[in-house]
Amino acid sequence: MKKNNILKNIFWILLCLISIYRLYLTGDRDIIQLNSPHDEYWYINNAKNNIFGGEYTHMSYIHLPIYSIWLKFSSLIGIPTRFLIDLFWVLATAYLVYSIIKIINNYIIGLLLFIYLIFHPYIFEIFDRALSETLLTVISAFVIASAIEIWNNRNNTRNLRWKFAVVIYVAGCAFGYHTRSEGIVFVVPIMTLFIYSIFYRKQWWIKSQKFKIALPLLIYPFISIITLSILISTIHYAKTGIYARYDLEHPGYLNALTAINKINAGQTEKYVTASKNVLSVAYEESETLNEIRQYLDNESGKMWRKISEDSTGIKGEIANGWFYWALRDAAYQAGWYKDPKYANNKFKRVSEEIVNSYKSGKIKAKSYAISPFLDPDYSKWIKNLPISIINVTDLILYPSSNFIQKVEDSATIDQKYIYTEITGKRREASKFQFKGWIKLPERTLVQLKASNVNIKDMEFLTKKRPDVQGAYSINLEIPNGDIQTAKIKYQTPDGKSDEVMFKDLKMGGVTDIKGQIDTQIGIDSLNIYKSKKRLEKLNKVLNSIYPYIGYIALPIIILGIIIPLLNNKINCCYILFILCTIAVSSRVLLISVIDSSSYNGIQARYILPAIPAYALMLFIGLQIILKELVKSK
């Protein structure tokens, strides 16, 4: 017993030390500031507007608000978002390891699971972005861990551990479901467990005192999901007059999308449903839709066609992943979004006009549409589904930086201020420094600034240059400055001032400046410093190691499924293994459908929320195999 306690203490000390090191590794990282009005920047700006504030436009409520609430929370408590998401990830992973050790009683497996999750290369890089998938990944780990803890403490419901687990689980299910639009995937394992409980209803529903397993695990989550849905929809109704969680659920808009997508105007290309031919028919049948034709054909449409073409290679069309945004943008330019009810009624009229044409037999319609965002011509894309499933599975089994979209700061100056206000900033991405001289009166104030930052460096001219008559030395630097917008400003002691763009100066030479103040500036040296990321070397190692784990992961998972069936040992550990498998498989299937029907879904960000379930599945499978090997000996 004493030896076991020592081992436990060593384990938790190791976990703490690894956690501290892990947080140190990303301690200098910040959220990348992108000009992405439909993705990252939308969440940032929504947090800036206090979630439901600001004037209504077609962009006001295009996503669910949970991630923006998280961003606002990090801003209010003053902890940089990048650090906070990492901190919660470490806590969630530690909680998951704590919960599973209580079942498998194997600290080595627990340690390996912890290391695998917190050092996963996807986590390091994708957490740099303000994406809702990052929060959903953390929530997923918390939900799985708390569900296990509810089971672990099922015979002691007065235990503080049980009560804490119930709160985390129920709240996590509600927030997880409403973090992204594909919330149904989040609850597939719970629905599977519910079906399982029906077959074993005596243990789950009859003999269980006050349903102490069934209620918290199977009923409370759906109550919390429905409650939060009602709350979000009610607030949205108060702001827009339409009862929905967000704008993309407005019934008129959804019906219009469905009606357009169902038009049968001949075979369309992969990823394209609302082709030019389809839209041409829609314009003829819908006088209302025709109002926005000029914007879809020219102004807004050109931009979306270019974005779509760059991603898919299909020229002259707007692919499915962008059409629903293009339709809203065109409607906004046509003046439909002066009022949300007005826009909804306009889209409703579009739907009615096209549907009436279906019914009258003027135009042909495709088969039943499962979703307004899914191509109803299933025969066109279903044949691509198997290869998409394989490719998406590769995302999980063989994680690589090749699957991660590389991005750099692209936000405008105004957007950068909002990013910094909401997400915080701990390091400068770069700085540039120059040394040289300038011919101006002594005590002239010289400042170096860039349009995307405040003035950071200034000096008075006091040190004469012995090698240049009438010149004074200058040595200035500016952090995170854009060299293309940088300028040197100077003000003489008598109050005269002028400035010169840095890009207009000769590097390593002398530039004559003609303006309000005539002068000469010489540049001796220009140095651009890039901040060193602590993670760079380790990340290369991780990106080379993790794909190889995939080669042993697949046989482990297969054996983990087969061995208990052969031994007829269907225990709680095996059920958890199967539920994790279902959780991963459902997300793989969802992304595969998107990839085969709408746009390229082979992106690590989409599979990220499944990583906690996959890792747990992998290491439970390893535990099953190890126990079988010990037994055989």
Side-chain angles (χ1 to χ4, degrees), residues 169-183:
Y169 179 69
V170 172
C173 286
F175 290 129
Y177 182 89
H178 295 291
T179 296
R180 289 186 54 81
S181 58
E182 70 274 11

Side-chain angles (χ1 to χ4, degrees), residues 317-559:
E317 301 284 8
I318 304 175
N320 299 336
W322 296 273
F323 178 72
Y324 55 91
W325 297 126
L327 187 66
R328 292 174 62 84
D329 281 1
Y332 172 74
Q333 291 172 9
W336 289 11
Y337 277 97
K338 60 184 179 182
D339 176 79
K341 284 186 176 180
Y342 181 80
N344 189 62
N345 289 333
K346 280 285 191 180
F347 282 121
K348 182 180 178 183
R349 202 172 306 155
V350 170
S351 173
E352 290 171 348
E353 291 167 351
I354 295 176
V355 169
N356 287 337
S357 294
Y358 292 150
K359 292 179 178 178
S360 66
K362 288 181 67 178
I363 59 175
K364 294 181 179 180
K366 295 175 185 175
S367 59
Y368 177 74
I370 297 175
S371 166
F373 304 103
L374 189 64
D375 190 343
D377 187 0
Y378 307 113
S379 61
K380 183 180 73 177
W381 56 265
I382 201 76
K383 59 188 177 184
N384 299 318
L385 189 57
I387 189 64
S388 289
I389 291 173
I390 293 171
N391 291 336
V392 175
T393 303
D394 285 347
L395 283 174
I396 299 181
L397 290 176
Y398 315 111
S400 166
S401 58
N402 295 331
F403 296 128
I404 300 175
Q405 183 183 7
K406 305 302 179 185
V407 294
E408 295 182 356
D409 285 359
S410 61
T412 65
I413 296 166
D414 291 338
Q415 288 173 343
K416 286 182 178 181
Y417 283 123
I418 297 174
Y419 266 102
T420 302
E421 178 185 345
I422 297 301
T423 66
K425 198 166 182 67
R426 290 167 294 158
R427 68 178 175 88
E428 303 297 343
S430 64
K431 68 177 180 179
F432 66 83
Q433 178 188 59
F434 85 91
K435 296 179 180 180
W437 52 263
I438 188 169
K439 288 187 176 181
L440 285 171
E442 188 177 9
R443 301 295 300 172
T444 293
L445 177 65
V446 180
Q447 302 169 324
L448 176 63
K449 67 174 295 186
S451 58
N452 59 335
V453 290
N454 294 324
I455 295 173
K456 293 291 184 181
D457 205 2
M458 62 184 71
E459 65 178 60
F460 288 99
L461 299 182
T462 57
K463 187 178 179 181
K464 290 185 177 182
R465 282 285 294 253
D467 56 333
V468 183
Q469 187 176 3
Y472 290 84
S473 295
I474 48 176
N475 184 1
L476 300 170
E477 72 174 40
I478 187 167
N480 203 31
D482 179 4
I483 198 168
Q484 295 300 314
T485 63
K487 60 182 70 174
I488 299 174
K489 299 188 71 172
Y490 34 88
Q491 183 176 2
T492 59
D494 60 2
K496 293 181 181 179
S497 62
D498 206 349
E499 62 183 39
V500 60
M501 295 299 295
F502 194 85
K503 63 182 181 180
D504 294 334
L505 302 179
K506 295 178 182 178
M507 300 299 111
V510 179
T511 306
D512 292 320
I513 309 298
K514 301 294 183 182
Q516 295 183 20
I517 304 175
D518 294 341
T519 184
Q520 283 185 323
I521 297 178
I523 297 180
D524 297 328
S525 64
L526 172 66
N527 296 309
I528 300 177
Y529 300 92
K530 295 287 184 181
S531 60
K532 295 181 179 179
K533 296 180 181 179
R534 301 168 185 170
L535 185 62
E536 282 181 351
K537 290 183 179 179
L538 178 61
N539 209 17
K540 290 180 180 178
V541 176
L542 295 174
N543 273 288
S544 62
I545 292 175
Y546 271 70
Y548 285 103
I549 297 176
Y551 291 110
I552 62 171
L554 198 56
I556 287 174
I557 292 168
I558 293 171
L559 289 173

Side-chain angles (χ1 to χ4, degrees), residues 578-590:
I578 295 300
L579 290 174
C580 287
T581 305
I582 290 169
V584 173
S585 300
S586 58
R587 181 159 287 275
V588 167
L589 181 60
L590 171 72

Side-chain angles (χ1 to χ4, degrees), residues 150-169:
I150 290 172
W151 173 266
N152 290 341
N153 295 278
R154 63 192 179 279
N155 295 320
N156 190 3
T157 56
R158 293 184 180 181
N159 191 327
L160 184 61
R161 279 173 52 194
W162 186 87
K163 294 176 181 177
F164 177 78
V166 170
V167 171
I168 296 297
Y169 179 69

